[in-house]
């Protein structure tokens, strides 16, 4: 199979190789290629005839041309493998361009080899985050704007799933929960979406601050001094005053979310014990599995930055998954609220659970909280084409304008799931009472228009 790329992409590939530190010497060039193609069937034939002698630009042109001609090595494109290896040790300024070039190569590879085991073709999943609904009027207006965009602009008259990655309310009040329930009911009614095709996870705005405050009671300072570091996490110490939380009362801060939103929408209670705060959603018609997790389980009115995933919740969920070998070939998506990196302190700092998800075959992560659309990657295997998680942030669907990130208005995502790929359609709304539009922010290279979508090759 011979892959073709536009001339500008070809020149960009040559430039990336020629200017990279690993390409300064002939030995360095061969080391890069050998590392990228080690153990790959057909690698020796791909390297056959390569001339990597000086000057670097000639060597780069030889490498790009040879691997483009050679094409596929097993299930991966030969040039994409080398570019991915290069990507591991390149500066942040060039990483977006490398990501784009890898997608260009892999998109041609997927097209050439036909369907791959993944989600059902043409499945459409709506990903919303940070709805922050305040009133019923908001709910009705936001639904009308969304429905217009889906049906008239995107030609999407049905949905196969709805995933909401937290912060469905602003202050966890009864009126806000009613607005969120109304909005979800309207989406379901318009799109013919079954209750079983909805995934909800809570965010930090979905727990009750008053119930968290009420769970802390006065305690003696000597008890705090005698506690170990982990135990001291249960305490608030301010100006010489000590308070410790009552754990049974503390768990109740998620009760309003469970009673006023999760139970009415999902038809089942939301567990208050942290190890049980996960949900597994198997959609066999789509060959899709979604795992919902609570990244706000340790957050309260004082400890606002304690984002994380409870280790027992991960273990319990993966134990249940391991007991279902018939789910092994599903496309697996994990959903929670908080990011894995942020310019603010409220991000998930203990990230070891990502290794467990990648090892268990999860491929995508959906989250919110940062109020801007983004896509990053976690690599578990340090090998080309190894296990990895593509991490998709949806932006905020309904936050007040004072909470918008500069340059990032209201946003949402529509995921088109098909054989071997997921196309992420990115939408934006800049006026409170305006229409949704293409969110063309995904750069395609110098001199090219940005696109309102990007492709994740599975």
């Amino acid at each position: 199979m011979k892959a073709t790329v536009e001339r500008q992409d070809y020149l960009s590939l040559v430039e990336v190789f020629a200017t990279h530190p690993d390409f300064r010497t002939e030995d360095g060039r061969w080391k890069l290629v050998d590392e990228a193609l080690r153990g790959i069937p057909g690698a020796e034939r791909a390297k056959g005839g390569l001339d990597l002698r000086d000057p670097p630009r000639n060597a780069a042109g030889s490498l790009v041309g040879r691997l483009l001609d050679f094409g596929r090595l097993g299930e991966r494109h030969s040039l994409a493998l080398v570019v991915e290896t290069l990507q591991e040790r390149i500066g942040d300024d060039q990483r977006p361009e490398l990501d784009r070039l890898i997608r260009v190569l892999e998109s041609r590879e997927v097209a050439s080899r036909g369907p791959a085991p993944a989600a059902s073709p043409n499945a459409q999943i709506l990903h919303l985050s940070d709805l922050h609904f305040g009133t019923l009027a908001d709910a009705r207006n936001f639904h009308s704007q969304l429905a217009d965009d889906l049906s008239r602009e995107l030609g999407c008259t049905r949905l196969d799933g709805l995933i909401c990655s937290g912060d469905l309310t602003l202050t966890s009040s009864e009126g806000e929960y009613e607005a969120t329930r109304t909005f979800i009911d309207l989406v379901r009614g318009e799109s013919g979406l079954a209750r079983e095709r909805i995934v909800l996870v809570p965010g930090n705005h979905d727990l009750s601050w008053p119930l968290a405050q009420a769970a802390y009671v006065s305690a003696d300072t000597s008890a705090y001094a005698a506690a170990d570091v982990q135990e001291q996490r249960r305490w608030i110490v301010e100006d010489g005053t000590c308070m410790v939380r009552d754990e049974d009362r503390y768990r109740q801060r998620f009760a309003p979310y469970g009673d006023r939103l999760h139970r009415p929408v999902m038809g089942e209670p939301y567990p208050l014990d942290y190890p049980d705060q996960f949900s597994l959603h198997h959609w066999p018609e789509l060959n899709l599995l979604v795992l919902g997790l609570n990244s706000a389980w340790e957050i309260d009115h004082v400890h606002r930055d304690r984002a994380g995933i409870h280790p027992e919740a991960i273990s319990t969920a993966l134990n249940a998954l391991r007991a279902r070998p018939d789910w092994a070939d599903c496309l697996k998506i994990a959903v929670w609220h908080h990011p894995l990196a942020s310019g603010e302190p409220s991000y998930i700092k203990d990230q070891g659970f990502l290794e467990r998800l990648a090892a268990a075959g999860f491929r995508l992560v959906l989250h919110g909280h940062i109020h801007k659309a983004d896509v990053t990657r976690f690599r578990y295997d340090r090998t080309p084409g190894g296990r990895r998680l593509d991490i998709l942030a949806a932006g905020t669907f309904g936050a007040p304008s004072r909470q918008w990130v500069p340059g990032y208005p209201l946003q949402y995502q529509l995921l088109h799931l098909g054989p071997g790929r997921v196309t992420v359609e990115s939408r934006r709304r800049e006026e409170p009472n305006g229409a949704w539009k293409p969110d063309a922010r995904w750069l395609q290279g110098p001199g090219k228009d940005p696109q309102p979508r990007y492709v994740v090759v599975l």
Side-chain angles (χ1 to χ4, degrees):
M1 186 274 298
K2 179 183 176 72
T4 58
V5 295
E6 295 180 16
R7 177 169 175 77
Q8 191 164 353
D9 288 335
Y10 172 85
L11 294 175
S12 183
L13 283 162
V14 171
E15 181 69 17
V16 164
F17 280 106
T19 58
H20 193 269
D22 288 358
F23 236 66
R24 288 173 181 163
T25 66
E26 185 178 352
D27 286 344
R29 297 161 202 160
W30 278 112
K31 183 177 180 181
L32 169 68
V33 175
D34 289 340
E35 178 183 345
L37 303 184
R38 184 178 296 119
I40 305 295
E44 292 307 314
R45 287 186 291 123
K47 292 186 288 187
L50 261 178
D51 184 357
L52 298 184
R53 292 173 293 183
D54 283 331
R57 195 165 301 281
N58 288 353
S62 175
L63 177 62
V64 173
R66 180 73 182 97
L67 295 185
L68 274 175
D69 288 344
F70 195 83
R72 185 164 55 173
L73 292 171
E75 291 301 307
R76 303 280 290 160
H77 192 279
S78 52
L79 185 55
L81 289 169
V82 181
V83 176
E84 279 193 0
T85 304
L86 212 161
Q87 183 187 38
E88 291 296 319
R89 39 187 183 264
I90 202 163
D92 291 340
D93 57 330
Q94 284 190 284
R95 190 165 286 116
E97 175 64 3
L98 282 187
D99 287 340
R100 186 191 67 79
L101 291 168
I102 289 169
R103 291 195 297 269
V104 168
L105 294 163
E106 290 187 334
S107 65
R108 285 156 174 74
E109 171 62 14
V110 168
S112 73
R113 69 174 183 251
S120 173
N122 304 318
Q124 300 181 109
I125 309 295
L126 181 63
H127 177 204
L128 305 179
S129 196
D130 298 80
L131 282 70
H132 292 300
F133 279 139
T135 67
L136 281 173
D138 287 340
R140 297 188 183 104
N141 191 39
F142 282 25
H143 166 260
S144 178
Q145 292 163 321
L146 173 66
D148 278 346
D149 192 50
L150 288 172
S151 62
R152 294 176 181 170
E153 300 298 320
L154 298 178
C156 176
T157 56
R158 65 167 178 81
L159 291 172
D160 298 288
L162 168 63
I163 298 176
C164 297
S165 54
D167 277 5
L168 296 105
T169 66
L170 195 59
T171 64
S172 189
S173 70
E174 173 57 45
E176 292 168 356
Y177 281 122
E178 182 183 8
T180 306
R181 293 194 305 268
T182 298
F183 172 80
I184 292 175
D185 286 344
L186 289 170
V187 171
R188 286 185 56 200
E190 181 103 8
S191 63
L193 191 64
R195 167 187 282 176
E196 293 74 24
R197 293 291 183 85
I198 298 175
V199 178
L200 303 180
V201 300
N204 49 294
H205 280 263
D206 300 320
L207 57 93
S208 169
W209 275 184
L211 290 178
Q213 291 173 319
Y216 282 92
V217 297
S218 296
D220 189 85
T221 56
S222 61
Y224 173 78
D228 60 27
V229 173
Q230 186 60 33
E231 176 68 12
Q232 287 179 350
R233 291 178 69 83
R234 299 177 54 234
W235 293 67
I236 298 174
V237 180
E238 292 179 346
D239 300 326
T241 301
C242 285
M243 303 186 76
V244 65
R245 69 190 185 216
D246 178 297
E247 292 298 343
D248 289 336
R249 296 171 67 183
Y250 190 66
R251 283 190 289 269
Q252 292 299 315
R253 69 199 195 284
F254 285 103
Y257 165 79
D259 294 340
R260 299 171 185 171
L261 183 62
H262 194 275
R263 187 193 296 268
V265 172
M266 305 302 295
E268 58 187 23
Y270 187 74
L272 298 183
D273 290 333
Y274 309 128
D276 298 328
Q277 288 180 344
F278 73 91
S279 58
L280 284 169
H281 308 261
H282 180 227
W283 301 337
E285 299 85 357
L286 305 183
N287 198 27
L288 183 66
L289 179 79
V290 183
L291 167 62
L293 293 161
N294 179 10
S295 62
W297 72 274
E298 206 176 9
I299 285 176
D300 61 30
H301 58 296
V302 174
H303 306 111
R304 298 175 185 241
D305 301 332
R306 288 184 175 177
I309 303 297
H310 198 286
E312 289 184 70
I314 283 286
S315 291
T316 307
L318 295 186
N319 288 345
L321 182 58
R322 193 170 59 251
R324 295 297 305 264
D326 53 317
W327 294 356
D329 292 333
C330 291
L331 173 63
K332 299 179 182 65
I333 301 175
V335 184
W336 56 78
H337 179 62
H338 288 85
L340 297 158
S342 173
E344 301 179 356
S346 52
Y347 64 92
I348 299 175
K349 299 165 184 68
D350 183 357
Q351 300 181 6
F353 72 99
L354 294 176
E355 297 182 354
R356 298 198 66 190
L357 290 177
F362 280 82
R363 188 62 187 80
L364 298 177
V365 169
L366 307 182
H367 75 84
H369 188 70
I370 56 176
H371 288 198
K372 67 176 185 177
D374 198 9
V375 56
T376 58
R377 176 175 288 180
F378 169 79
R379 296 181 66 88
Y380 180 53
D381 294 324
R382 294 295 166 175
T383 54
R387 289 167 291 183
R388 61 196 187 276
L389 296 167
D390 281 276
I391 302 166
L392 284 54
T396 175
F397 182 74
S401 58
R402 67 180 182 274
Q403 296 183 4
W404 294 3
V405 174
Y408 291 83
L410 299 179
Q411 297 172 306
Y412 79 85
Q413 293 176 340
L414 183 65
L415 278 58
H416 302 277
L417 278 59
R421 66 172 56 198
V422 176
T423 301
V424 182
E425 196 78 36
S426 185
R427 309 293 289 176
R428 81 182 197 278
R429 183 158 63 85
E430 299 163 336
E431 300 291 340
N433 294 309
W436 289 95
K437 301 167 186 160
D439 188 24
R441 67 176 58 249
W442 310 107
L443 300 179
Q444 304 298 305
K448 294 187 177 181
D449 292 336
Q451 292 294 313
R453 66 191 64 84
Y454 59 88
V455 175
V456 177
V457 178
L458 302 173

